[in-house]
Amino acid sequence: MSKLNSQAVMDLMEEIFRAFAQTVRYGVRLVQRMSPPALLGAALILAFILTILPLAMVLFAFFLVLKIAVGACVVGGRRQRRRQEHQQ
């Protein structure tokens, strides 16, 4: 495998920039061709993806951690009771 030099890194960065710029131009042309109802639908879907979906994911993670914490407390309590029963 060849060593990376500064020219190779610059070529890679330029290629990434060109691909990103081409994608942005394609998106702008697509939005310009959209009808108003389609544009409204796309805006609503984008708003859903950017706001509601992350909120749902955060709430899911919060309740998952809460469930694990409660489960750990219950299992810990049962272990303590078993130890006390075996000691008696």
Side-chain angles (χ1 to χ4, degrees):
M1 193 165 151
S2 65
K3 289 184 178 179
L4 286 178
N5 57 19
S6 62
Q7 184 60 40
V9 172
M10 290 303 294
D11 289 343
L12 177 64
M13 296 301 284
E14 186 177 335
E15 186 176 349
I16 290 171
F17 176 74
R18 264 192 255 124
F20 180 72
Q22 184 179 4
T23 303
V24 169
R25 283 193 297 269
Y26 174 78
V28 168
R29 285 193 303 268
L30 184 66
V31 168
Q32 287 175 347
R33 289 191 309 256
M34 284 179 142
S35 66
L39 194 58
L40 178 64
L44 289 173
I45 290 171
L46 187 63
F48 173 76
I49 290 171
L50 293 177
T51 58
I52 297 171
L53 195 59
L55 176 65
M57 291 170 60
V58 166
L59 287 174
F60 172 76
F62 172 74
F63 285 117
L64 182 65
V65 168
L66 183 67
K67 178 182 175 183
I68 291 171
V70 169
C73 291
V74 168
V75 169
R78 288 182 183 170
R79 283 184 184 165
Q80 266 186 337
R81 270 188 264 130
R82 283 186 185 166
R83 283 187 198 139
Q84 289 173 355
E85 288 173 3
H86 288 300
Q87 288 176 355
Q88 292 177 355

